[in-house]
Amino acid sequence: MDNVVEIRWHGRGGQGAKTAALLLADVAFKTGKFVQGFPEYGPERMGAPITAYNRIGDNEIRVHSNIYHPDYVVVVDEGLLEVVDVTDGLSEQGAIVVNTKKPVEEIKKHLKGYNGKVFTIDARKVSKQCLGKYFPNTPMLAAIVKVSRVMDEDVFFSEMKASFEHKFSSKPEVIEGNMNALKMAFKEVRG
């Protein structure tokens, strides 16, 4: 598929990986892209591993399946590195983004020989500082947009602000906290 970026998200139920994938699809759609955003899970429970996906392209996307050879992978919970083969099918021309406070060199040891680019972000730190609680999906969303460059940073911030204003119209502090988390996450990505 020409000009289509494929992203696979790995998280645990309740961490917001599905929500982040759907938000990314929504924001990309508003910029004129063709998009898909969907989760894969069965009768999962809170804390069980889940997978979500994005396809973002300039032309109509006719494929409707899971993503087996992603350009990018987002790992919302670093504990999954020992449970799931998060690099399965991952393009070495792409990258993986892991939520961790550990350095990239340490994370590479857990990636089964993956030789592509590796980025890290401490989404817990960003989230706690900006939102007062641990919501890793907002910082991870910003991190994958920065790493993948699926859209311009200013356009991303503008569309996310509009989305937050719509969703949290009666809670300006939530809008401000989420916007601060997005902006801080852009600065905190390491790799």
Side-chain angles (χ1 to χ4, degrees):
M1 291 181 295
D2 294 336
N3 298 322
V4 173
V5 174
E6 294 185 319
I7 301 169
R8 187 174 65 215
W9 296 75
H10 293 278
R12 293 188 184 276
Q15 291 180 324
K18 176 185 107 171
T19 300
L22 296 177
L23 262 172
L24 179 56
D26 186 49
V27 170
F29 178 76
K30 289 178 182 174
T31 68
K33 299 282 188 182
F34 290 85
V35 300
Q36 291 178 353
F38 54 98
E40 172 193 39
Y41 51 172
E44 309 298 357
R45 63 195 182 289
M46 185 76 77
I50 68 112
T51 310
Y53 304 93
N54 286 113
R55 284 191 180 95
I56 302 170
D58 296 324
N59 300 307
E60 185 176 351
I61 301 169
R62 297 180 183 269
V63 174
H64 298 281
S65 67
N66 290 348
I67 295 172
Y68 301 103
H69 301 284
D71 301 297
Y72 300 94
V73 165
V74 181
V75 181
V76 181
D77 184 325
E78 76 174 296
L80 292 172
L81 297 177
E82 305 303 324
V83 179
V84 177
D85 183 1
V86 297
T87 60
D88 184 38
L90 176 58
S91 167
E92 294 200 354
Q93 284 69 52
I96 185 168
V97 182
V98 180
N99 173 14
T100 184
K101 59 184 174 186
K102 295 176 183 167
V104 169
E105 298 73 34
E106 173 93 15
I107 293 302
K108 284 183 178 180
K109 297 174 188 174
H110 302 279
L111 299 180
K112 299 184 179 8
Y114 177 70
N115 291 316
K117 294 177 184 170
V118 178
F119 295 88
T120 62
I121 180 169
D122 186 349
R124 179 179 297 277
K125 177 180 111 178
V126 172
S127 162
K128 290 265 195 173
Q129 186 171 326
C130 298
L131 301 167
K133 290 184 178 181
Y134 182 46
F135 296 112
N137 59 338
T138 299
M140 296 308 291
L141 175 58
I144 193 57
V145 168
K146 179 177 181 174
V147 169
S148 68
R149 299 184 181 143
V150 293
M151 69 183 70
D152 176 76
E153 177 180 343
D154 293 332
V155 171
F156 172 67
F157 289 142
S158 173
E159 291 298 334
M160 286 304 298
K161 185 171 185 183
S163 179
F164 289 145
E165 286 173 345
H166 175 75
K167 187 173 183 180
F168 302 112
S169 61
S170 65
K171 298 178 181 177
E173 70 282 358
V174 174
I175 298 166
E176 182 181 356
N178 275 287
M179 289 306 299
N180 289 339
L182 292 173
K183 291 174 183 173
M184 183 177 174
F186 253 76
K187 294 176 186 170
E188 293 286 321
V189 174
R190 303 286 176 250

